[in-house]
Amino acid sequence: MTYYLDMSPYTYIEECIRPNTFNVGWLSRGYDFERGKSSEQFYQRLLEFCAFPICKTRGWHVCEFCGSEQAVPLNITINAQSSLILGSAEMRVSGDYKVFASPDLIYHYVTVHEYLPPKEFINAILESPLPTTKEYMKKFQDLV
């Protein structure tokens, strides 16, 4: 996966670049990252954002930390009736005067590898309107 330092300006997909958009969670082997636990509420809300893909790509990225060299997508179970394939899209969340852009693999990084995103991102996930709301769609409809 492409590595970007947390809180650096977003530049990955040209069509998805917007003002005041910053990277969070673009991890790659060979680069250290902050580790720690987050709340269950954060995990649940992050999953809701990751389940609403933005800036989809044709292929997918695999987790470089799991040790598998197989180029297969990461499939997680959401509940008994549904699952989610991670690694082929991004998610967006609004914070105070900023937008955060993350690969959807961020959910895996946080829950499996204990990646601890910046506090500002965590607060945005906990406080921002969810992707199922009109407020969210109004802000990001051009990226869907």
Short mmCIF file of all heavy atoms in Angstrom, two decimals, residues 48-114:
data_model
loop_
_atom_site.label_atom_id
_atom_site.label_comp_id
_atom_site.label_asym_id
_atom_site.label_seq_id
_atom_site.Cartn_x
_atom_site.Cartn_y
_atom_site.Cartn_z
N GLU A 48 -18.78 1.61 10.52
CA GLU A 48 -19.86 2.21 9.74
C GLU A 48 -19.31 3.12 8.63
O GLU A 48 -19.85 3.15 7.53
CB GLU A 48 -20.81 2.98 10.65
CG GLU A 48 -21.62 2.05 11.55
CD GLU A 48 -22.67 2.79 12.33
OE1 GLU A 48 -23.52 3.45 11.70
OE2 GLU A 48 -22.64 2.70 13.58
N PHE A 49 -18.24 3.85 8.92
CA PHE A 49 -17.63 4.69 7.89
C PHE A 49 -16.94 3.83 6.82
O PHE A 49 -17.04 4.11 5.63
CB PHE A 49 -16.63 5.67 8.50
CG PHE A 49 -17.29 6.84 9.18
CD1 PHE A 49 -17.56 6.80 10.54
CD2 PHE A 49 -17.65 7.96 8.46
CE1 PHE A 49 -18.18 7.87 11.16
CE2 PHE A 49 -18.27 9.04 9.08
CZ PHE A 49 -18.54 9.00 10.43
N CYS A 50 -16.25 2.78 7.24
CA CYS A 50 -15.55 1.92 6.28
C CYS A 50 -16.52 1.12 5.42
O CYS A 50 -16.19 0.74 4.31
CB CYS A 50 -14.59 0.99 7.02
SG CYS A 50 -13.18 1.86 7.72
N ALA A 51 -17.71 0.87 5.94
CA ALA A 51 -18.73 0.13 5.18
C ALA A 51 -19.41 1.01 4.13
O ALA A 51 -20.25 0.53 3.38
CB ALA A 51 -19.78 -0.44 6.13
N PHE A 52 -19.02 2.27 4.06
CA PHE A 52 -19.56 3.21 3.08
C PHE A 52 -18.39 3.67 2.21
O PHE A 52 -17.77 4.71 2.47
CB PHE A 52 -20.21 4.39 3.80
CG PHE A 52 -21.05 5.24 2.89
CD1 PHE A 52 -22.35 4.88 2.60
CD2 PHE A 52 -20.52 6.38 2.32
CE1 PHE A 52 -23.12 5.67 1.76
CE2 PHE A 52 -21.27 7.17 1.48
CZ PHE A 52 -22.58 6.81 1.20
N PRO A 53 -18.03 2.89 1.18
CA PRO A 53 -16.81 3.17 0.41
C PRO A 53 -16.89 4.44 -0.43
O PRO A 53 -17.92 4.77 -1.00
CB PRO A 53 -16.67 1.93 -0.47
CG PRO A 53 -18.04 1.36 -0.57
CD PRO A 53 -18.74 1.72 0.71
N ILE A 54 -15.76 5.11 -0.48
CA ILE A 54 -15.57 6.32 -1.29
C ILE A 54 -14.28 6.12 -2.07
O ILE A 54 -13.37 5.43 -1.63
CB ILE A 54 -15.49 7.56 -0.37
CG1 ILE A 54 -16.89 7.89 0.15
CG2 ILE A 54 -14.86 8.74 -1.04
CD1 ILE A 54 -16.95 9.08 1.06
N CYS A 55 -14.20 6.74 -3.23
CA CYS A 55 -12.98 6.69 -4.05
C CYS A 55 -12.53 5.24 -4.26
O CYS A 55 -11.40 4.85 -3.93
CB CYS A 55 -11.87 7.53 -3.44
SG CYS A 55 -12.31 9.27 -3.26
N LYS A 56 -13.41 4.44 -4.80
CA LYS A 56 -13.13 3.02 -5.03
C LYS A 56 -12.06 2.85 -6.09
O LYS A 56 -11.94 3.65 -7.02
CB LYS A 56 -14.41 2.31 -5.47
CG LYS A 56 -15.52 2.35 -4.46
CD LYS A 56 -16.78 1.75 -5.02
CE LYS A 56 -17.96 2.06 -4.12
NZ LYS A 56 -19.22 1.61 -4.70
N THR A 57 -11.28 1.78 -5.93
CA THR A 57 -10.25 1.45 -6.91
C THR A 57 -10.61 0.13 -7.59
O THR A 57 -11.47 -0.60 -7.12
CB THR A 57 -8.86 1.33 -6.24
OG1 THR A 57 -8.90 0.29 -5.26
CG2 THR A 57 -8.47 2.64 -5.58
N ARG A 58 -9.93 -0.17 -8.67
CA ARG A 58 -10.23 -1.41 -9.41
C ARG A 58 -9.63 -2.64 -8.75
O ARG A 58 -10.16 -3.72 -8.83
CB ARG A 58 -9.72 -1.29 -10.83
CG ARG A 58 -10.51 -0.29 -11.61
CD ARG A 58 -10.05 -0.25 -13.03
NE ARG A 58 -10.77 0.79 -13.73
CZ ARG A 58 -10.77 0.94 -15.01
NH1 ARG A 58 -10.07 0.13 -15.77
NH2 ARG A 58 -11.45 1.92 -15.56
N GLY A 59 -8.50 -2.49 -8.12
CA GLY A 59 -7.86 -3.61 -7.44
C GLY A 59 -8.03 -3.48 -5.95
O GLY A 59 -8.89 -2.75 -5.47
N TRP A 60 -7.20 -4.19 -5.19
CA TRP A 60 -7.26 -4.08 -3.75
C TRP A 60 -5.87 -4.21 -3.17
O TRP A 60 -4.96 -4.77 -3.78
CB TRP A 60 -8.21 -5.09 -3.13
CG TRP A 60 -7.84 -6.52 -3.39
CD1 TRP A 60 -6.92 -7.26 -2.74
CD2 TRP A 60 -8.37 -7.37 -4.41
NE1 TRP A 60 -6.84 -8.51 -3.26
CE2 TRP A 60 -7.73 -8.61 -4.31
CE3 TRP A 60 -9.33 -7.19 -5.40
CZ2 TRP A 60 -8.00 -9.67 -5.15
CZ3 TRP A 60 -9.60 -8.26 -6.23
CH2 TRP A 60 -8.94 -9.48 -6.09
N HIS A 61 -5.73 -3.67 -1.97
CA HIS A 61 -4.48 -3.77 -1.21
C HIS A 61 -4.67 -4.84 -0.15
O HIS A 61 -5.76 -5.02 0.37
CB HIS A 61 -4.16 -2.44 -0.53
CG HIS A 61 -3.85 -1.35 -1.48
ND1 HIS A 61 -2.65 -1.25 -2.13
CD2 HIS A 61 -4.59 -0.30 -1.90
CE1 HIS A 61 -2.66 -0.19 -2.91
NE2 HIS A 61 -3.84 0.40 -2.79
N VAL A 62 -3.60 -5.53 0.16
CA VAL A 62 -3.63 -6.52 1.23
C VAL A 62 -2.91 -5.93 2.44
O VAL A 62 -2.15 -4.99 2.33
CB VAL A 62 -2.97 -7.84 0.80
CG1 VAL A 62 -3.74 -8.48 -0.34
CG2 VAL A 62 -1.52 -7.64 0.42
N CYS A 63 -3.17 -6.51 3.60
CA CYS A 63 -2.50 -6.07 4.82
C CYS A 63 -1.05 -6.56 4.79
O CYS A 63 -0.81 -7.78 4.74
CB CYS A 63 -3.21 -6.59 6.05
SG CYS A 63 -2.33 -6.17 7.57
N GLU A 64 -0.14 -5.64 4.86
CA GLU A 64 1.29 -5.99 4.83
C GLU A 64 1.79 -6.51 6.18
O GLU A 64 2.91 -7.00 6.27
CB GLU A 64 2.11 -4.76 4.42
CG GLU A 64 1.80 -4.28 3.03
CD GLU A 64 2.58 -3.04 2.65
OE1 GLU A 64 3.57 -2.69 3.34
OE2 GLU A 64 2.19 -2.40 1.66
N PHE A 65 0.98 -6.41 7.21
CA PHE A 65 1.41 -6.80 8.55
C PHE A 65 0.97 -8.21 8.93
O PHE A 65 1.45 -8.76 9.91
CB PHE A 65 0.88 -5.81 9.59
CG PHE A 65 1.24 -4.39 9.26
CD1 PHE A 65 0.27 -3.50 8.85
CD2 PHE A 65 2.55 -3.95 9.33
CE1 PHE A 65 0.58 -2.19 8.53
CE2 PHE A 65 2.89 -2.65 9.00
CZ PHE A 65 1.91 -1.77 8.60
N CYS A 66 0.06 -8.79 8.18
CA CYS A 66 -0.45 -10.12 8.51
C CYS A 66 0.46 -11.25 8.01
O CYS A 66 0.26 -12.39 8.38
CB CYS A 66 -1.86 -10.31 7.93
SG CYS A 66 -3.12 -9.44 8.88
N GLY A 67 1.40 -10.93 7.18
CA GLY A 67 2.34 -11.93 6.73
C GLY A 67 1.91 -12.74 5.54
O GLY A 67 2.64 -13.60 5.07
N SER A 68 0.74 -12.50 5.01
CA SER A 68 0.28 -13.23 3.83
C SER A 68 0.70 -12.51 2.57
O SER A 68 0.50 -11.31 2.43
CB SER A 68 -1.24 -13.38 3.85
OG SER A 68 -1.68 -13.97 2.65
N GLU A 69 1.29 -13.23 1.66
CA GLU A 69 1.70 -12.64 0.39
C GLU A 69 0.63 -12.84 -0.68
O GLU A 69 0.78 -12.41 -1.81
CB GLU A 69 3.03 -13.24 -0.08
CG GLU A 69 4.18 -12.97 0.87
CD GLU A 69 4.47 -11.49 1.05
OE1 GLU A 69 4.37 -10.72 0.07
OE2 GLU A 69 4.79 -11.09 2.18
N GLN A 70 -0.46 -13.52 -0.33
CA GLN A 70 -1.52 -13.75 -1.30
C GLN A 70 -2.25 -12.45 -1.58
O GLN A 70 -2.57 -11.69 -0.68
CB GLN A 70 -2.53 -14.77 -0.77
CG GLN A 70 -1.96 -16.16 -0.67
CD GLN A 70 -3.03 -17.13 -0.20
OE1 GLN A 70 -3.91 -16.78 0.56
NE2 GLN A 70 -2.94 -18.35 -0.69
N ALA A 71 -2.49 -12.19 -2.85
CA ALA A 71 -3.19 -10.98 -3.27
C ALA A 71 -4.70 -11.22 -3.28
O ALA A 71 -5.34 -11.24 -4.32
CB ALA A 71 -2.70 -10.53 -4.64
N VAL A 72 -5.24 -11.44 -2.09
CA VAL A 72 -6.69 -11.64 -1.97
C VAL A 72 -7.23 -10.55 -1.04
O VAL A 72 -6.55 -10.12 -0.12
CB VAL A 72 -7.04 -13.04 -1.42
CG1 VAL A 72 -6.62 -14.12 -2.39
CG2 VAL A 72 -6.40 -13.28 -0.07
N PRO A 73 -8.45 -10.13 -1.28
CA PRO A 73 -9.00 -9.08 -0.42
C PRO A 73 -9.27 -9.58 0.99
O PRO A 73 -9.45 -10.77 1.21
CB PRO A 73 -10.29 -8.69 -1.13
CG PRO A 73 -10.66 -9.86 -1.96
CD PRO A 73 -9.37 -10.55 -2.32
N LEU A 74 -9.29 -8.66 1.92
CA LEU A 74 -9.58 -8.96 3.31
C LEU A 74 -11.08 -8.88 3.52
O LEU A 74 -11.69 -7.86 3.28
CB LEU A 74 -8.86 -7.96 4.21
CG LEU A 74 -9.01 -8.15 5.70
CD1 LEU A 74 -8.40 -9.48 6.13
CD2 LEU A 74 -8.34 -7.03 6.44
N ASN A 75 -11.67 -9.96 3.96
CA ASN A 75 -13.11 -10.05 4.14
C ASN A 75 -13.40 -10.16 5.63
O ASN A 75 -12.91 -11.07 6.29
CB ASN A 75 -13.65 -11.27 3.40
CG ASN A 75 -15.15 -11.29 3.28
OD1 ASN A 75 -15.85 -10.54 3.94
ND2 ASN A 75 -15.65 -12.18 2.45
N ILE A 76 -14.19 -9.21 6.17
CA ILE A 76 -14.54 -9.27 7.59
C ILE A 76 -16.05 -9.49 7.72
O ILE A 76 -16.82 -9.05 6.88
CB ILE A 76 -14.11 -8.01 8.36
CG1 ILE A 76 -14.82 -6.77 7.82
CG2 ILE A 76 -12.62 -7.84 8.32
CD1 ILE A 76 -14.68 -5.56 8.70
N THR A 77 -16.43 -10.18 8.77
CA THR A 77 -17.84 -10.43 9.04
C THR A 77 -18.41 -9.28 9.86
O THR A 77 -17.84 -8.92 10.89
CB THR A 77 -18.01 -11.75 9.80
OG1 THR A 77 -17.47 -12.80 9.00
CG2 THR A 77 -19.48 -12.03 10.09
N ILE A 78 -19.51 -8.73 9.38
CA ILE A 78 -20.17 -7.64 10.11
C ILE A 78 -21.21 -8.23 11.06
O ILE A 78 -21.27 -7.91 12.23
CB ILE A 78 -20.83 -6.64 9.14
CG1 ILE A 78 -19.74 -5.96 8.31
CG2 ILE A 78 -21.66 -5.61 9.90
CD1 ILE A 78 -20.26 -5.01 7.26
N ASN A 79 -22.06 -9.08 10.54
CA ASN A 79 -23.04 -9.79 11.35
C ASN A 79 -23.38 -11.10 10.63
O ASN A 79 -22.75 -11.43 9.64
CB ASN A 79 -24.29 -8.93 11.62
CG ASN A 79 -24.93 -8.45 10.33
OD1 ASN A 79 -25.09 -9.21 9.38
ND2 ASN A 79 -25.30 -7.18 10.29
N ALA A 80 -24.36 -11.81 11.11
CA ALA A 80 -24.68 -13.13 10.55
C ALA A 80 -25.07 -13.07 9.07
O ALA A 80 -24.88 -14.03 8.35
CB ALA A 80 -25.80 -13.78 11.35
N GLN A 81 -25.58 -11.93 8.62
CA GLN A 81 -26.05 -11.84 7.23
C GLN A 81 -25.11 -11.10 6.29
O GLN A 81 -25.30 -11.13 5.08
CB GLN A 81 -27.42 -11.13 7.17
CG GLN A 81 -28.53 -11.92 7.77
CD GLN A 81 -28.86 -11.45 9.18
OE1 GLN A 81 -28.21 -10.59 9.73
NE2 GLN A 81 -29.88 -12.04 9.77
N SER A 82 -24.12 -10.41 6.80
CA SER A 82 -23.31 -9.61 5.89
C SER A 82 -21.83 -9.59 6.25
O SER A 82 -21.45 -9.81 7.39
CB SER A 82 -23.86 -8.18 5.82
OG SER A 82 -23.79 -7.56 7.07
N SER A 83 -21.05 -9.32 5.24
CA SER A 83 -19.61 -9.17 5.42
C SER A 83 -19.16 -7.97 4.60
O SER A 83 -19.92 -7.41 3.82
CB SER A 83 -18.88 -10.44 4.99
OG SER A 83 -19.07 -10.67 3.62
N LEU A 84 -17.91 -7.60 4.77
CA LEU A 84 -17.36 -6.42 4.11
C LEU A 84 -15.97 -6.77 3.60
O LEU A 84 -15.15 -7.30 4.34
CB LEU A 84 -17.30 -5.26 5.10
CG LEU A 84 -16.68 -3.95 4.65
CD1 LEU A 84 -17.52 -3.33 3.52
CD2 LEU A 84 -16.58 -2.98 5.82
N ILE A 85 -15.72 -6.45 2.34
CA ILE A 85 -14.39 -6.64 1.77
C ILE A 85 -13.65 -5.32 1.89
O ILE A 85 -14.13 -4.28 1.45
CB ILE A 85 -14.48 -7.09 0.30
CG1 ILE A 85 -15.12 -8.48 0.23
CG2 ILE A 85 -13.09 -7.11 -0.33
CD1 ILE A 85 -15.36 -8.98 -1.17
N LEU A 86 -12.48 -5.37 2.51
CA LEU A 86 -11.66 -4.18 2.71
C LEU A 86 -10.45 -4.21 1.78
O LEU A 86 -9.97 -5.26 1.42
CB LEU A 86 -11.16 -4.12 4.15
CG LEU A 86 -12.22 -4.06 5.25
CD1 LEU A 86 -11.55 -4.09 6.62
CD2 LEU A 86 -13.08 -2.82 5.10
N GLY A 87 -9.99 -3.02 1.42
CA GLY A 87 -8.75 -2.92 0.65
C GLY A 87 -8.91 -2.35 -0.74
O GLY A 87 -7.93 -2.26 -1.47
N SER A 88 -10.13 -1.95 -1.10
CA SER A 88 -10.31 -1.42 -2.46
C SER A 88 -11.02 -0.07 -2.48
O SER A 88 -11.54 0.35 -3.51
CB SER A 88 -11.10 -2.41 -3.31
OG SER A 88 -12.41 -2.54 -2.81
N ALA A 89 -11.03 0.61 -1.35
CA ALA A 89 -11.71 1.91 -1.29
C ALA A 89 -11.16 2.73 -0.13
O ALA A 89 -10.29 2.28 0.62
CB ALA A 89 -13.22 1.72 -1.14
N GLU A 90 -11.69 3.92 -0.01
CA GLU A 90 -11.33 4.82 1.07
C GLU A 90 -12.58 5.17 1.85
O GLU A 90 -13.69 4.85 1.45
CB GLU A 90 -10.71 6.11 0.51
CG GLU A 90 -9.46 5.86 -0.30
CD GLU A 90 -8.92 7.12 -0.94
OE1 GLU A 90 -9.36 8.25 -0.60
OE2 GLU A 90 -8.05 6.99 -1.81
N MET A 91 -12.37 5.86 2.96
CA MET A 91 -13.48 6.41 3.73
C MET A 91 -13.12 7.85 4.06
O MET A 91 -11.95 8.23 4.04
CB MET A 91 -13.79 5.59 4.98
CG MET A 91 -12.64 5.32 5.94
SD MET A 91 -12.17 6.62 7.12
CE MET A 91 -13.65 6.96 7.97
N ARG A 92 -14.14 8.66 4.32
CA ARG A 92 -13.95 10.05 4.70
C ARG A 92 -14.74 10.33 5.97
O ARG A 92 -15.82 9.79 6.18
CB ARG A 92 -14.45 11.01 3.62
CG ARG A 92 -13.71 10.98 2.32
CD ARG A 92 -12.35 11.65 2.45
NE ARG A 92 -11.68 11.79 1.16
CZ ARG A 92 -11.05 10.84 0.52
NH1 ARG A 92 -11.02 9.63 1.01
NH2 ARG A 92 -10.45 11.06 -0.63
N VAL A 93 -14.19 11.23 6.77
CA VAL A 93 -14.89 11.71 7.97
C VAL A 93 -14.49 13.17 8.18
O VAL A 93 -13.34 13.54 7.95
CB VAL A 93 -14.58 10.84 9.21
CG1 VAL A 93 -13.12 10.88 9.58
CG2 VAL A 93 -15.47 11.23 10.38
N SER A 94 -15.46 13.98 8.58
CA SER A 94 -15.20 15.40 8.84
C SER A 94 -14.84 15.63 10.29
O SER A 94 -15.49 15.11 11.18
CB SER A 94 -16.45 16.23 8.52
OG SER A 94 -16.73 16.19 7.16
N GLY A 95 -13.83 16.46 10.48
CA GLY A 95 -13.46 16.91 11.81
C GLY A 95 -13.64 18.42 11.88
O GLY A 95 -14.27 19.01 11.00
N ASP A 96 -13.09 19.03 12.89
CA ASP A 96 -13.14 20.49 13.01
C ASP A 96 -12.27 21.12 11.93
O ASP A 96 -11.04 21.06 12.01
CB ASP A 96 -12.66 20.94 14.39
CG ASP A 96 -13.60 20.51 15.50
OD1 ASP A 96 -14.81 20.37 15.22
OD2 ASP A 96 -13.13 20.32 16.64
N TYR A 97 -12.89 21.66 10.92
CA TYR A 97 -12.21 22.38 9.83
C TYR A 97 -11.32 21.49 8.97
O TYR A 97 -10.51 21.97 8.20
CB TYR A 97 -11.40 23.56 10.36
CG TYR A 97 -12.19 24.43 11.29
CD1 TYR A 97 -11.96 24.39 12.66
CD2 TYR A 97 -13.19 25.26 10.82
CE1 TYR A 97 -12.69 25.17 13.54
CE2 TYR A 97 -13.93 26.06 11.68
CZ TYR A 97 -13.68 26.00 13.04
OH TYR A 97 -14.40 26.78 13.90
N LYS A 98 -11.43 20.17 9.11
CA LYS A 98 -10.62 19.23 8.34
C LYS A 98 -11.48 18.06 7.89
O LYS A 98 -12.49 17.75 8.51
CB LYS A 98 -9.46 18.67 9.16
CG LYS A 98 -8.41 19.66 9.53
CD LYS A 98 -7.32 19.01 10.35
CE LYS A 98 -6.33 20.07 10.80
NZ LYS A 98 -5.38 19.55 11.77
N VAL A 99 -11.02 17.43 6.83
CA VAL A 99 -11.59 16.15 6.40
C VAL A 99 -10.45 15.15 6.46
O VAL A 99 -9.31 15.46 6.09
CB VAL A 99 -12.17 16.25 4.97
CG1 VAL A 99 -12.57 14.88 4.46
CG2 VAL A 99 -13.35 17.21 4.94
N PHE A 100 -10.75 13.95 6.93
CA PHE A 100 -9.74 12.91 7.01
C PHE A 100 -10.03 11.84 5.97
O PHE A 100 -11.17 11.39 5.83
CB PHE A 100 -9.72 12.29 8.41
CG PHE A 100 -9.44 13.30 9.48
CD1 PHE A 100 -10.45 13.77 10.29
CD2 PHE A 100 -8.16 13.80 9.66
CE1 PHE A 100 -10.21 14.72 11.27
CE2 PHE A 100 -7.89 14.75 10.63
CZ PHE A 100 -8.92 15.22 11.43
N ALA A 101 -9.00 11.45 5.24
CA ALA A 101 -9.09 10.41 4.21
C ALA A 101 -8.28 9.21 4.68
O ALA A 101 -7.11 9.34 5.03
CB ALA A 101 -8.55 10.93 2.89
N SER A 102 -8.92 8.05 4.67
CA SER A 102 -8.26 6.82 5.12
C SER A 102 -8.59 5.68 4.18
O SER A 102 -9.70 5.63 3.62
CB SER A 102 -8.76 6.43 6.51
OG SER A 102 -8.52 7.44 7.44
N PRO A 103 -7.66 4.74 4.02
CA PRO A 103 -8.02 3.51 3.31
C PRO A 103 -9.02 2.75 4.18
O PRO A 103 -8.97 2.83 5.41
CB PRO A 103 -6.68 2.77 3.20
CG PRO A 103 -5.88 3.27 4.35
CD PRO A 103 -6.30 4.69 4.57
N ASP A 104 -9.91 2.01 3.56
CA ASP A 104 -10.87 1.27 4.38
C ASP A 104 -10.20 0.17 5.21
O ASP A 104 -10.77 -0.33 6.17
CB ASP A 104 -12.05 0.73 3.56
CG ASP A 104 -11.66 -0.23 2.45
OD1 ASP A 104 -10.47 -0.58 2.32
OD2 ASP A 104 -12.56 -0.61 1.69
N LEU A 105 -8.97 -0.17 4.88
CA LEU A 105 -8.21 -1.13 5.70
C LEU A 105 -7.91 -0.58 7.10
O LEU A 105 -7.46 -1.33 7.97
CB LEU A 105 -6.89 -1.50 5.02
CG LEU A 105 -6.94 -2.62 4.00
CD1 LEU A 105 -5.60 -2.73 3.27
CD2 LEU A 105 -7.31 -3.93 4.63
N ILE A 106 -8.17 0.69 7.32
CA ILE A 106 -7.92 1.27 8.65
C ILE A 106 -8.67 0.51 9.73
O ILE A 106 -8.17 0.35 10.84
CB ILE A 106 -8.23 2.79 8.69
CG1 ILE A 106 -7.67 3.40 9.98
CG2 ILE A 106 -9.71 3.05 8.51
CD1 ILE A 106 -7.73 4.92 10.03
N TYR A 107 -9.85 0.00 9.40
CA TYR A 107 -10.60 -0.77 10.40
C TYR A 107 -9.80 -2.00 10.83
O TYR A 107 -9.69 -2.29 12.02
CB TYR A 107 -11.97 -1.19 9.85
CG TYR A 107 -12.75 -1.99 10.86
CD1 TYR A 107 -13.40 -1.35 11.92
CD2 TYR A 107 -12.81 -3.38 10.79
CE1 TYR A 107 -14.09 -2.08 12.88
CE2 TYR A 107 -13.51 -4.10 11.74
CZ TYR A 107 -14.14 -3.45 12.78
OH TYR A 107 -14.81 -4.18 13.73
N HIS A 108 -9.23 -2.70 9.91
CA HIS A 108 -8.39 -3.87 10.20
C HIS A 108 -7.15 -3.45 10.99
O HIS A 108 -6.80 -4.10 11.98
CB HIS A 108 -8.00 -4.55 8.89
CG HIS A 108 -7.01 -5.66 9.05
ND1 HIS A 108 -7.37 -6.91 9.52
CD2 HIS A 108 -5.68 -5.70 8.80
CE1 HIS A 108 -6.29 -7.68 9.55
NE2 HIS A 108 -5.25 -6.97 9.11
N TYR A 109 -6.51 -2.37 10.58
CA TYR A 109 -5.31 -1.90 11.28
C TYR A 109 -5.59 -1.58 12.75
O TYR A 109 -4.80 -1.89 13.63
CB TYR A 109 -4.72 -0.67 10.60
CG TYR A 109 -4.25 -0.86 9.19
CD1 TYR A 109 -4.26 0.20 8.29
CD2 TYR A 109 -3.77 -2.09 8.73
CE1 TYR A 109 -3.81 0.05 6.99
CE2 TYR A 109 -3.33 -2.26 7.44
CZ TYR A 109 -3.35 -1.18 6.56
OH TYR A 109 -2.92 -1.33 5.28
N VAL A 110 -6.73 -0.95 12.99
CA VAL A 110 -7.10 -0.55 14.34
C VAL A 110 -7.48 -1.76 15.20
O VAL A 110 -7.04 -1.88 16.34
CB VAL A 110 -8.25 0.48 14.29
CG1 VAL A 110 -8.91 0.66 15.64
CG2 VAL A 110 -7.75 1.82 13.78
N THR A 111 -8.29 -2.65 14.65
CA THR A 111 -8.82 -3.75 15.46
C THR A 111 -7.86 -4.93 15.58
O THR A 111 -7.86 -5.62 16.60
CB THR A 111 -10.16 -4.25 14.90
OG1 THR A 111 -9.99 -4.66 13.54
CG2 THR A 111 -11.22 -3.16 14.99
N VAL A 112 -7.03 -5.18 14.59
CA VAL A 112 -6.13 -6.34 14.62
C VAL A 112 -4.70 -5.95 15.01
O VAL A 112 -4.06 -6.64 15.80
CB VAL A 112 -6.14 -7.08 13.26
CG1 VAL A 112 -5.12 -8.19 13.23
CG2 VAL A 112 -7.54 -7.60 12.96
N HIS A 113 -4.21 -4.84 14.48
CA HIS A 113 -2.81 -4.46 14.70
C HIS A 113 -2.64 -3.32 15.70
O HIS A 113 -1.54 -2.81 15.88
CB HIS A 113 -2.16 -4.12 13.36
CG HIS A 113 -2.20 -5.25 12.39
ND1 HIS A 113 -1.50 -6.42 12.58
CD2 HIS A 113 -2.91 -5.41 11.25
CE1 HIS A 113 -1.75 -7.25 11.58
NE2 HIS A 113 -2.61 -6.67 10.76
N GLU A 114 -3.74 -2.93 16.35
CA GLU A 114 -3.74 -1.91 17.40
C GLU A 114 -3.17 -0.57 16.96
O GLU A 114 -2.57 0.16 17.75
CB GLU A 114 -3.03 -2.41 18.66
CG GLU A 114 -3.74 -3.58 19.31
CD GLU A 114 -3.12 -4.00 20.62
OE1 GLU A 114 -1.94 -3.67 20.89
OE2 GLU A 114 -3.82 -4.68 21.39
#
